[in-house]
Amino acid sequence: GVAQACHDAQVPLVAVLGIANRVGPTAHAEWLTNRGAAQEAARAAVQPLLAALGYAPTALGPRTPADRPPTR
């Protein structure tokens, strides 16, 4: 998948998962109710990391190699 492709291409990858529901018969309804809060929590967790790496807080990632911050 994506993680393996990043590994193979030596591209850093960080994954953040916002948990929105428990497993069980009400899982889908819980997900529908809680997904916005889970997405926002994941976004809030990632923004300081992106800022520390030199990305704008709302950026999803570099669009071109020139947009990438210098490698360390």
Side-chain angles (χ1 to χ4, degrees), residues 11-59:
V11 173
L13 171 72
V14 173
V16 175
L17 178 64
I19 306 299
N21 61 280
R22 294 172 286 191
V23 174
T26 61
H28 184 69
E30 287 180 24
W31 178 78
L32 290 173
T33 300
N34 301 324
R35 69 181 175 170
Q39 289 169 345
E40 184 55 37
R43 188 178 302 111
V46 168
Q47 283 180 341
L49 173 62
L50 291 176
L53 294 173
Y55 292 96
T58 58

